[in-house]
Amino acid sequence: MSSTRWTVHAALPHPAGASSAARASGLAGRLRAAVGAAKVLTDPAQLRTYECDGLATVRVRPSVVVLAERREDVVAAVRLCAEAGVPFVARGSGTGLSGGAVPVADGVLIVLSRLRAVRSVDPDNARVVVEPGVINLWVTREAAPYGQAYAPDPSSQQVCSIGGNVAENAGGAHCLKYGFTVNHVMGAEVVLPDGEVVHLGGTAPEHPGFDLLGAFVGSEGTLGIATEVTVRTVQAPESVQTMLVGFHSVADAAGTVSDIIAEGILPAAVEMMDALAIEAAEAAVRCGYPRGAVAVLVIELDGPRVEVDEQFRQVERIATARHAFETRIARDAEERALMWKGRKSAFAAVGRISPAYYVQDGVIPRTKLPEVLDEVRRLADAAGIRVANVFHAGDGNLHPLILFDDKVEGAAHAAEQLGFAILDLCVASGGSITGEHGVGVEKKSKMTTQFSADDLDTMHRLRCAFDPAGLANPGKQFPTPRLCGERPGVRTAAEDEGRDAALGEVF
């Protein structure tokens, strides 16, 4: 972090008698003057483009959209919002699946997708500096000429942005071995909710004091907006081998995953798809997965060639012992890409076999995969709803795709309730309500399933230290009064004067 001293601010005053919507409407003229009229949208037809992110079941039209093109636009927009007491939400590519970038109806949406500059590539120090709108896959594209890559790879890596990845602490198939976004962010330039610019982390591998960068990554835009991110790149491995393994039993496939890791092998990725997910992928991209498979694993090993060759033989032996009926080894990059194409396209492919679907995201201990998947099937049967499972099996990160017909009254609600029951199952099994999609608006009511009142209070106090007025992405992450008994409204520093004063000393 920079040398800027942090203090807890009093709650920002709101103009007497003016609603937030009126304040936001009145703010549009000042925004146009500050960033340029062409970057400020207020036409209802244009605003509709931004009323949801990847969680399309939740739609809120913002009062104003700012299409930021440079850091100064973000600073000006946030500062004007703070002065007017108007809430704001940051949005990148809009691919988030938990509603983290859903706008506030009487607020300003600050769109960052035009901030797409790669500011520097430093292969000697294995780092790349980018603006938040840069697409995830572009980082690897920039690093590839130097034999390097960016490891976190969400399935949406061709379209999702680095800023969004940071906000949600995004994961991906290769995070089993290489870790999540938080493990690859070295520093960030951040516009705080009052418009002040600070730097968290930096270019050194270690920083003394509190890990404020770690707190910022995964905070879902509630602590500020990143306008520059320094990410760590990794050396591309000498050898990569990928295999596709077919099973007649989900339990055998799940057991194979645990057996591989129990042998001391850490694959780059282990992905699993069940029969319904395979059916969808075949319908969409004809990936040629084993016929009759009830489950398949896509297993990838990387590292020194000698080590990979030996471990590959071990993995084949383990899978055979678990009754794998077909094992294919990718002979070249084209076959490897086809194996991954089925897995990477599975989410969208489900649209081929169902009018609508709901993507859930939870984590369990890997060793509990067989029993949890069996219980998911039981819950789905009891609800009369089909569930396709496609997920990061190596780290127990489940992604049940809950299929429903959105033209049937009540079907969407039933799908959501089944998703919540699966999250309860994850927590009861020693896991978590989210693995890589964040909490957003979707799962904030489930925070009380996982955390105590004291846990949530601590999180609130941290948020107040950054955002005492509660203007940055309000209504996300934390439960609402209706669902958890919390007090109405946004908690402010003024409400906890004594305790937050202490936090002010800390930060």
Side-chain angles (χ1 to χ4, degrees):
M1 184 181 174
S2 71
S3 59
T4 304
R5 176 174 171 77
W6 285 45
T7 56
V8 174
H9 305 272
L12 292 167
H14 291 184
S19 69
S20 291
R23 290 195 298 272
S25 178
L27 183 61
R30 298 177 66 193
L31 286 166
R32 289 191 178 97
V35 305
K39 301 177 190 173
V40 179
L41 308 180
T42 54
D43 181 277
Q46 293 177 308
L47 296 178
R48 287 195 63 183
T49 302
Y50 301 97
E51 63 185 9
C52 74
D53 58 8
L55 184 68
T57 53
V58 181
R59 294 173 181 270
V60 179
R61 191 180 305 173
S63 291
V64 181
V65 169
V66 175
L67 304 175
E69 294 182 352
R70 52 188 188 141
R71 183 191 67 182
E72 288 75 13
D73 293 342
V74 180
V75 172
V78 170
R79 187 163 291 158
L80 288 172
C81 285
E83 290 173 0
V86 171
F88 61 88
V89 177
R91 173 192 166 112
S93 296
T95 58
L97 293 169
S98 61
V102 171
V104 176
D106 53 0
V108 173
L109 186 71
I110 302 174
V111 179
L112 306 170
S113 56
R114 294 184 178 182
L115 279 81
R116 290 190 165 187
V118 177
R119 292 186 175 169
S120 68
V121 180
D122 183 357
D124 292 338
N125 291 295
R127 62 193 182 213
V128 177
V129 181
V130 300
E131 291 186 334
V134 164
I135 301 302
N136 175 294
L137 196 57
W138 296 359
V139 182
T140 288
R141 185 187 67 188
E142 295 290 333
Y146 308 99
Q148 297 179 1
Y150 181 59
D153 58 342
S155 295
S156 58
Q157 68 178 143
Q158 296 187 51
V159 290
C160 65
S161 64
I162 292 295
N165 291 174
V166 171
E168 303 296 323
N169 190 21
H174 292 88
C175 290
L176 169 63
K177 182 172 183 177
Y178 293 100
F180 284 66
T181 297
V182 69
N183 304 116
H184 298 269
V185 176
M186 302 176 69
E189 176 187 83
V190 175
V191 180
L192 295 177
D194 64 355
E196 183 179 4
V197 179
V198 300
H199 292 84
L200 307 180
T203 56
E206 174 64 21
H207 296 273
F210 289 98
D211 183 11
L212 296 180
L213 178 64
F216 183 80
V217 177
S219 61
E220 303 189 22
T222 61
L223 305 185
I225 300 175
T227 48
E228 180 182 285
V229 183
T230 301
V231 299
R232 189 192 320 276
T233 53
V234 298
Q235 197 67 31
E238 177 188 3
S239 174
V240 178
Q241 290 198 36
T242 307
M243 71 166 62
L244 181 69
V245 190
F247 296 87
H248 290 306
S249 151
V250 169
D252 278 337
T256 297
V257 178
S258 290
D259 289 351
I260 290 171
I261 296 178
E263 286 265 339
I265 300 170
L266 183 57
V270 181
E271 300 290 295
M272 183 169 166
M273 297 169 65
D274 70 7
L276 196 53
I278 296 168
E279 176 188 338
E282 290 290 353
V285 299
R286 301 185 185 281
C287 46
Y289 282 3
R291 287 183 178 275
V294 175
V296 296
L297 295 178
V298 177
I299 304 170
E300 188 159 283
L301 300 173
D302 68 7
R305 188 175 305 282
V306 173
E307 179 181 295
V308 169
D309 289 346
E310 173 57 28
Q311 290 186 343
F312 219 69
R313 286 189 287 272
Q314 289 179 262
V315 170
E316 285 186 276
R317 175 179 53 76
I318 292 167
T320 301
R322 282 282 186 175
H323 314 298
F325 72 89
E326 183 171 336
T327 300
R328 300 180 193 169
I329 299 172
R331 293 170 296 186
D332 51 35
E334 186 177 349
E335 287 192 358
R336 180 180 172 226
L338 190 58
M339 289 180 182
W340 276 111
K341 189 174 183 179
R343 165 60 184 89
K344 294 264 183 179
S345 65
F347 278 26
V350 167
R352 296 292 189 100
I353 62 171
S354 177
Y357 63 97
Y358 174 58
V359 182
Q360 194 47 275
D361 164 49
V363 174
I364 59 168
R366 181 179 51 251
T367 53
K368 294 194 174 181
L369 274 174
E371 61 191 83
V372 169
L373 290 174
D374 192 52
E375 182 62 12
V376 168
R377 181 189 54 77
R378 192 194 67 76
L379 290 170
D381 289 346
I385 297 174
R386 294 189 299 167
V387 173
N389 288 293
V390 48
F391 57 97
H392 310 310
D395 47 16
N397 189 353
L398 304 181
H399 290 315
L401 307 176
I402 303 167
L403 282 52
F404 65 98
D405 187 344
D406 54 351
K407 292 185 175 59
V408 176
E409 185 175 354
H413 177 70
E416 184 181 57
Q417 293 307 304
L418 175 57
F420 285 170
I422 293 172
L423 292 183
D424 290 340
L425 173 63
C426 289
V427 175
S429 302
S432 165
I433 63 169
T434 181
E436 57 181 337
H437 293 180
V439 176
V441 295
E442 179 198 22
K443 288 182 276 190
K444 61 182 182 179
S445 67
K446 284 296 168 187
M447 289 287 275
T448 53
T449 303
Q450 184 166 353
F451 297 107
S452 70
D454 287 344
D455 294 335
L456 293 172
D457 193 55
T458 301
M459 295 181 200
H460 274 292
R461 292 165 66 187
L462 175 63
R463 193 224 169 131
C464 282
F466 280 78
D467 183 23
L471 296 178
N473 209 10
K476 313 292 167 58
Q477 283 199 325
F478 297 108
T480 61
R482 179 175 63 84
L483 297 171
C484 76
E486 291 288 324
R487 285 171 293 165
V490 175
R491 185 175 173 141
T492 68
E495 292 176 291
D496 296 298
E497 185 176 352
R499 288 180 296 180
D500 287 338
L503 278 173
E505 292 297 319
V506 171
F507 293 116

